[in-house]
Amino acid sequence: MISPYSILGVPEQASDADIKQAYLQRVKDNPPDRDAARFREIQEAFEAIKDQDCRLRHALFHVPHVDFDALLMQAFGQPRIGGTMATDDFLKLLSTLSIEKSLAQLTKTPS
């Protein structure tokens, strides 16, 4: 699944005004009569991250699609061309899915 930030073309640290501006530009470039599915995707992305509360909710409850079976097979299962993944590398990979990390990045205030 593509993140709402990439759909709107804004960084995760973007302000409410930047997100709204990007949304309006995307809607202007992709009107509903041209491509209804793309318009709906843009609208849903904006609704997901339009303000601080929505971004926090998205960070807390949005679960990216991860094929855990493939990760487990790669880490501990069948040998592959390069061998199995080292346990430390597998744990680093799993740590990238941390909700705490997402929340910390979202609530971090720029200096």
Side-chain angles (χ1 to χ4, degrees):
M1 179 179 176
I2 301 173
S3 81
Y5 297 100
S6 62
I7 291 171
L8 296 177
V10 295
E12 290 187 16
Q13 298 78 21
S15 68
D16 293 352
D18 292 338
I19 291 171
K20 184 175 182 180
Q21 183 65 35
Y23 166 71
L24 294 174
Q25 184 61 46
R26 294 289 189 274
V27 167
K28 181 180 174 186
D29 295 341
N30 300 281
D33 57 337
R34 184 181 308 157
D35 186 355
R38 177 72 176 145
F39 178 79
R40 188 171 33 258
E41 180 182 50
I42 292 166
Q43 203 169 24
E44 289 171 359
F46 176 69
E47 289 299 319
I49 62 170
K50 66 182 175 183
D51 58 30
Q52 188 67 27
D53 290 339
C54 291
R55 289 192 293 278
L56 181 60
R57 198 173 303 113
H58 176 75
L60 287 173
F61 300 112
H62 172 73
V63 179
H65 174 72
V66 176
D67 186 358
F68 284 106
D69 291 334
L71 287 175
L72 291 172
M73 282 302 254
Q74 184 178 2
F76 304 111
Q78 306 295 328
R80 58 187 175 96
I81 294 171
T84 59
M85 180 184 285
T87 304
D88 290 342
D89 292 339
F90 181 70
L91 293 174
K92 286 177 190 174
L93 181 63
L94 285 180
S95 72
T96 63
L97 303 174
S98 170
I99 290 175
E100 292 86 11
K101 184 183 270 187
S102 297
L103 182 58
Q105 288 176 350
L106 184 64
T107 58
K108 182 171 49 174
T109 56
S111 320

